[in-house]
Amino acid sequence: MFSLKQNCWFIRKVVIWRSVASIAWSVLLLPVTSAVFVLLSRFSLFHPIQWISECTSLLTASSTIFSLVVLCGVVLITGLFNLEFYTLVPSIPCSRMALLGTVLHPRQCVHSLVYCTMGMLVMWCASVTIGGRYSTLGIPCRQSESGEVVTCLNEYHLFLLLAGAFMGYSHSFLGVVQNMYYVSFQPIQQYKYPRFKGCLPMVVKCSVIQSLYSARNFAALYFFFGKIFINLCITLQLYSSLQPLDSLTGLLDFSLLYHLSISGTFLYFTWYLTVLLFRIYVTEAYSFPVQSTFTEDAEQCLPKVLAETNTLVMKFLALQDLALLSQHSLSRRLEVFSLSQPGGHPHNWNAISRECMSLLSELTQRLLAHQDAVASNGRVKSQSASIDTRSASSSSSVVSGTEDVSETPRLSVPLRTPGSVFTSSVGGMHSALTAPFTPDVDSPFSSPAIRRLVGQQEPRSPWFGTVQSPHIMRRGPKLWSASTESQSNGSPPASPATVPSPPAANQKPSFLAQWLQNRREQVKSFLAKRVLIVYLFNKLPEASSQALFADSQAHIWALQGLSHLVAASFSEDQFGVVQTTLPSILSCLVVLLEAVDRHFKLPHASSKPVRTVCSMGDSTYKTLRFALRAALKTAIYKITTTFGEHLNAVNISTEHRKRLQQFLEFKE
């Protein structure tokens, strides 16, 4: 999410100005779209000359100019909402209850209310432009008894205004359901104008389809509840000379449905065009200097920017720039491989490779934690034991040549994987256990073992502490676990630490605590049998897998940048700075590949997502796990095909060497 409160040079100098440029272009395109709307709203097939003359006079009228001013205000508010609400990592709810909580969040309610208001404003401008029976809300009418002229309600104008409010709420609601606030980066870079021209037909198509859907749904809603709303909220009496719209004969008016459809298309097109221009400008590539001459510009250099964790858009663009320079810029690659003066240290390469391997190691730990949770069927081992086992295995497998970069890549603050409702990540831990696996911690169906995984342990539960009962752990063989991995590596399995049990007096709960625990279990068992509760709290099939890889675009760029730099170092690295970290890089890639392969053996992990209908919501995050696996194998192939048999001289473990041999023989 791009917050205006962030005090960062990149937000001030780049992101805000790009957003201003997108809003300016949206405002400049408003007269063109308004002119097209005027032509369509006054369309007359049998009187073309009169149609053209009326449209020409209407375009220069004062009412049209005032409507353009109102529409400019709507576009400005939409652009500010884009800047405030858009995110680079989509929010993926893991259950229907989580999605409902997101929709009913106060922040989202305010967003929906603002869009309802803007929808009514746009529809008011459209009704004034159409004219005729839609021009005003109140029309003069004569009472039959006294003959007095009073103001009556024009239901046609009210119908369009309520339709605008309904379409505004639909746009806000679909923004949450379809992740319309998610900004994705294109795999192939394009200039702004070709990309805009290529996406414009899709925007028109989505606007028409969404307008037809909204018109159908609103007509059905107005048919059942239109009269009730008028009687409760409006004191004006209806104009009796017009056909009431809460009947089939009133709603099946072709002229009414036509004007409603084109007005809705104009409304959605105005919003979608602003969204499209914002995405194009924000995701435009930005070139960071590899090294600076002046000290005050050091924070803007690529190695420093890659270590940034607070400004996510800057980190993403830096990783994108790294992937591009590693493939297309020889001079900037030489700067990466250069040595510092004085001293002769490869600070640029060390910083870049450390951050890339840190990202990949964080993803590996995240996948292993998820696999342990799934493999144990809810009986999760202690957090400290699993971390110690993984650190021991990783330290035994990763071998390096120099002291300053030989240690295991430090885990920086991970890119935040979206949660289900309000949780973001497990508090205080720089681990891979992020929010997609915690939405059900506070639900009535969460077991103490799941709370143990995220650090919420119950003192009186059998999972509290580091020792577990042998009756609890006596289960079938796991799919994957740290013990099986250690046995396959030849190392003895780690034995659980023995902790002296506390006195029996401290373990015995009081009568009130036991009574409350029994009532809690009864309530949980009662709710677990209710169909609606189970439907709301059950996890969605692919949500956990999608949430695991929600930020994988950063990992894909890290893989591309790292692999191309390593491959280019074979002929361009004059000082051999890359060769010192080559064992660590190869081990990091192979360990990640093993974790990804294991993940794709889990249920619903390898299933392709269902293709959705035309919408402005970006669904590319649903296939990021497949793109990451392809990028990972491509990165390993890039290195193995470049170095060939020279990899046999690299000091890596036997298992990793066997896996790399599969790539050398093109058997993967």
Side-chain angles (χ1 to χ4, degrees):
M1 184 177 296
F2 306 146
S3 178
L4 296 175
K5 299 179 181 179
Q6 288 181 334
N7 186 16
C8 176
W9 68 269
F10 193 79
I11 297 294
R12 297 192 309 267
K13 297 181 179 180
V14 180
V15 176
I16 290 181
W17 285 107
R18 288 184 174 186
S19 177
V20 169
S22 66
I23 295 174
W25 275 108
S26 301
V27 171
L28 290 176
L29 290 175
L30 263 180
V32 179
T33 56
S34 300
V36 174
F37 173 71
V38 168
L39 291 174
L40 293 176
S41 63
R42 295 297 184 95
F43 178 73
S44 178
L45 180 62
F46 300 104
H47 304 87
I49 299 178
Q50 182 182 359
W51 168 48
I52 297 297
S53 62
E54 286 182 357
C55 292
T56 305
S57 61
L58 184 61
L59 288 174
T60 58
S62 59
S63 60
T64 306
I65 297 175
F66 180 75
S67 299
L68 281 176
V69 174
V70 174
L71 291 175
C72 288
V74 170
V75 169
L76 179 61
I77 296 175
T78 305
L80 292 177
F81 269 66
N82 290 341
L83 183 62
E84 182 67 21
F85 278 82
Y86 271 70
T87 177
L88 300 177
V89 180
S91 176
I92 304 175
C94 291
S95 64
R96 296 175 181 87
M97 192 64 190
L99 178 61
L100 183 62
T102 307
V103 173
L104 298 180
H105 193 274
R107 181 183 177 90
Q108 180 60 30
C109 292
V110 173
H111 182 271
S112 301
L113 181 62
V114 173
Y115 265 92
C116 287
T117 306
M118 291 194 299
M120 294 182 69
L121 286 175
V122 176
M123 278 298 186
W124 177 83
C125 296
S127 61
V128 171
T129 303
I130 296 172
R133 58 181 180 178
Y134 307 100
S135 57
T136 58
L137 182 62
I139 53 178
C141 61
R142 188 179 298 275
Q143 291 184 349
S144 57
E145 297 84 2
S146 61
E148 181 183 358
V149 177
V150 295
T151 302
C152 296
L153 177 65
N154 184 5
E155 193 175 4
Y156 287 90
H157 187 91
L158 177 66
F159 184 80
L160 289 183
L161 293 181
L162 294 179
F166 179 81
M167 292 178 181
Y169 180 78
S170 299
H171 179 78
S172 178
F173 176 76
L174 292 177
V176 175
V177 176
Q178 298 178 355
N179 265 303
M180 201 176 297
Y181 310 122
Y182 168 55
V183 177
S184 66
F185 291 81
Q186 299 296 313
I188 300 177
Q189 290 296 311
Q190 288 181 296
Y191 289 107
K192 294 189 289 293
Y193 177 71
R195 185 180 173 186
F196 174 77
K197 186 174 64 174
C199 295
L200 193 58
M202 181 202 65
V203 174
V204 175
K205 179 182 177 182
C206 292
S207 302
V208 173
I209 292 177
Q210 190 58 43
S211 174
L212 293 176
Y213 276 124
S214 299
R216 179 200 64 182
N217 297 337
F218 176 73
L221 189 67
Y222 193 86
F223 177 77
F224 290 104
F225 303 103
K227 187 68 71 176
I228 299 176
F229 175 80
I230 292 175
N231 293 334
L232 291 178
C233 302
I234 298 178
T235 57
L236 296 177
Q237 63 178 356
L238 287 174
Y239 188 38
S240 58
S241 300
L242 297 176
Q243 180 71 31
L245 297 181
D246 58 342
S247 61
L248 289 177
T249 55
L251 288 176
L252 293 179
D253 185 356
F254 176 77
S255 176
L256 175 66
L257 296 179
Y258 172 74
H259 287 110
L260 176 62
S261 301
I262 63 170
S263 300
T265 303
F266 175 67
L267 169 69
Y268 282 116
F269 184 79
T270 303
W271 286 338
Y272 289 167
L273 194 64
T274 309
V275 170
L276 175 64
L277 289 170
F278 180 80
R279 290 176 179 175
I280 291 175
Y281 272 89
V282 168
T283 57
E284 185 183 4
Y286 186 86
S287 180
F288 295 89
V290 178
Q291 54 189 0
S292 63
T293 307
F294 303 101
T295 309
E296 56 269 15
D297 297 335
E299 64 174 5
Q300 302 180 11
C301 294
L302 186 61
K304 293 289 185 181
V305 172
L306 285 175
E308 177 65 35
T309 57
N310 296 326
T311 310
L312 200 57
V313 58
M314 183 171 64
K315 190 179 184 74
F316 269 64
L317 288 173
L319 288 167
Q320 183 190 45
D321 184 43
L322 175 65
L324 293 176
L325 79 86
S326 65
Q327 303 176 44
H328 308 296
S329 180
L330 173 61
S331 60
R332 300 181 70 196
R333 285 199 302 267
L334 293 178
E335 291 184 38
V336 174
F337 300 145
S338 64
L339 301 179
S340 63
Q341 297 297 331
H345 299 290
H347 292 310
N348 294 332
W349 167 251
N350 287 347
I352 291 175
S353 61
R354 189 189 307 116
E355 289 302 325
C356 291
M357 286 193 289
S358 175
L359 273 176
L360 301 180
S361 300
E362 180 266 329
L363 179 61
T364 303
Q365 297 295 331
R366 190 194 308 173
L367 292 174
L368 291 177
H370 179 60
Q371 290 160 13
D372 287 345
V374 174
S376 56
N377 298 323
R379 301 290 193 255
V380 191
K381 57 188 177 180
S382 65
Q383 184 80 10
S384 59
S386 61
I387 292 178
D388 293 340
T389 305
R390 291 183 195 128
S391 61
S393 61
S394 61
S395 61
S396 63
S397 61
V398 178
V399 182
S400 178
T402 59
E403 184 178 355
D404 57 342
V405 292
S406 61
E407 68 240 11
T408 305
R410 63 177 178 85
L411 288 182
S412 62
V413 180
L415 297 181
R416 297 181 59 183
T417 308
S420 56
V421 195
F422 310 114
T423 55
S424 58
S425 62
V426 180
M429 297 183 60
H430 297 283
S431 66
L433 301 177
T434 46
F437 318 115
T438 61
D440 295 331
V441 170
D442 298 326
S443 69
F445 310 107
S446 60
S447 64
I450 298 300
R451 296 191 190 95
R452 179 184 178 80
L453 176 64
V454 298
Q456 297 184 6
Q457 301 149 329
E458 295 182 0
R460 296 182 180 86
S461 67
W463 291 272
F464 184 76
T466 56
V467 179
Q468 295 180 348
S469 172
H471 302 286
I472 298 173
M473 295 303 295
R474 191 176 297 144
R475 303 179 60 84
K478 296 181 180 181
L479 296 177
W480 308 284
S481 63
S483 61
T484 56
E485 292 176 0
S486 61
Q487 291 174 5
S488 63
N489 293 334
S491 59
S495 60
T498 58
V499 177
S501 59
N506 297 336
Q507 290 183 344
K508 186 177 180 181
S510 62
F511 173 77
L512 180 60
Q514 188 67 32
W515 183 83
L516 291 175
Q517 181 69 19
N518 293 337
R519 292 296 177 270
R520 180 184 177 186
E521 294 297 330
Q522 290 177 4
V523 171
K524 287 170 60 176
S525 61
F526 172 78
L527 293 176
K529 298 177 182 178
R530 307 280 79 83
V531 178
L532 180 61
I533 300 297
V534 174
Y535 175 79
L536 290 176
F537 282 90
N538 272 353
K539 285 196 172 185
L540 301 175
E542 298 181 9
S544 296
S545 182
Q546 291 175 4
L548 267 173
F549 297 92
D551 58 347
S552 290
Q553 183 59 65
H555 303 97
I556 293 173
W557 284 328
L559 287 169
Q560 292 175 352
L562 202 59
S563 61
H564 282 87
L565 285 176
V566 171
S569 69
F570 187 77
S571 58
E572 300 173 6
D573 185 10
Q574 301 176 1
F575 307 102
V577 298
V578 177
Q579 312 309 318
T580 59
T581 56
L582 187 57
S584 301
I585 294 173
L586 291 175
S587 299
C588 183
L589 295 180
V590 173
V591 170
L592 178 58
L593 180 62
E594 292 175 353
V596 170
D597 288 342
R598 291 174 179 178
H599 177 79
F600 273 90
K601 295 178 182 179
L602 297 177
H604 304 291
S606 59
S607 57
K608 294 286 185 180
V610 181
R611 186 173 272 187
T612 58
V613 295
C614 180
S615 68
M616 284 297 293
D618 200 331
S619 60
T620 54
Y621 66 90
K622 297 181 180 179
T623 57
L624 275 178
R625 59 186 185 273
F626 303 102
L628 176 76
R629 182 173 62 172
L632 179 57
K633 291 188 176 182
T634 303
I636 299 178
Y637 268 122
K638 182 70 176 177
I639 297 175
T640 54
T641 54
T642 302
F643 284 85
E645 297 300 328
H646 296 285
L647 291 178
N648 295 328
V650 180
N651 188 13
I652 56 177
S653 63
T654 306
E655 286 115 4
H656 294 171
R657 191 180 303 279
K658 290 180 181 178
R659 192 65 189 269
L660 288 177
Q661 189 64 32
Q662 300 292 323
F663 284 89
L664 286 171
E665 298 174 358
F666 296 96
K667 293 182 179 180
E668 282 287 339

